[in-house]
């Protein structure tokens, strides 16, 4: 889990994003589409077209971090707004990263065996 300091907001970029983008491309999206500063210390989350890949950019005060998570099964639940951003709490981010519906926390899938 990302250690989210108090006072940090978590932004979900609505719609889908080209997941070939790295930190520079996603930072540009934050500046142009979300009208936010990518170096502000807030977390900015992006989801791919298929919905199973999530990227988070975060500037921790010393350097820029890019986190990536892919679900083996299922999809990340995302707001249906076409353009803009939605803010969620750090607790809701924890649910989102676990593949749980952050609007109604219930497990969506659990692996039955390893290997």
């Amino acid at each position: 889990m990302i250690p989210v300091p108090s006072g940090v907001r978590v932004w979900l970029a609505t719609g889908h994003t080209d997941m070939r983008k790295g930190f520079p491309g996603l930072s540009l999206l934050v500046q142009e589409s979300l009208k936010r500063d990518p170096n502000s210390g807030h977390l900015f989350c992006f989801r791919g077209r298929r919905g199973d890949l999530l990227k988070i950019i975060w500037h921790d005060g010393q350097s820029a971090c890019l986190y990536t998570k892919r679900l083996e099964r299922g999809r990340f639940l995302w707001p249906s707004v076409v353009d803009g951003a939605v803010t969620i709490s750090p607790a809701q981010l924890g649910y989102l990263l676990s593949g749980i519906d952050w609007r109604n926390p219930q497990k969506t899938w659990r692996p039955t065996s390893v290997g």
Side-chain angles (χ1 to χ4, degrees):
M1 179 66 190
I2 301 169
V4 181
S6 62
V8 170
R9 297 182 77 178
V10 180
W11 295 91
L12 303 181
T14 58
H16 63 270
T17 304
D18 182 1
M19 289 289 106
R20 295 175 291 181
K21 293 181 186 283
F23 188 82
L26 294 174
S27 294
L28 189 61
L29 279 177
V30 170
Q31 288 176 348
E32 292 180 350
S33 299
L34 305 179
K35 307 292 191 250
R36 305 275 177 227
D37 179 16
N39 298 323
S40 63
H42 298 298
L43 280 79
F44 299 96
C45 306
F46 302 90
R47 189 184 84 153
R49 183 180 297 271
R50 291 189 330 200
D52 65 341
L53 183 63
L54 181 78
K55 287 190 177 182
I56 301 173
I57 60 171
W58 176 45
H59 195 279
D60 64 2
Q62 296 176 355
S63 61
C65 305
L66 176 63
Y67 296 94
T68 304
K69 182 161 187 177
R70 181 182 303 275
L71 291 178
E72 292 179 8
R73 183 173 175 189
R75 294 185 173 150
F76 292 107
L77 298 169
W78 216 246
S80 60
V81 180
V82 178
D83 290 325
V86 174
T87 183
I88 62 173
S89 70
Q92 289 173 318
L93 176 65
Y95 287 131
L96 177 68
L97 292 176
S98 298
I100 300 171
D101 185 354
W102 50 273
R103 300 163 294 190
N104 182 19
Q106 296 177 357
K107 289 227 181 226
T108 56
W109 177 77
R110 182 180 182 111
T112 55
S113 64
V114 177

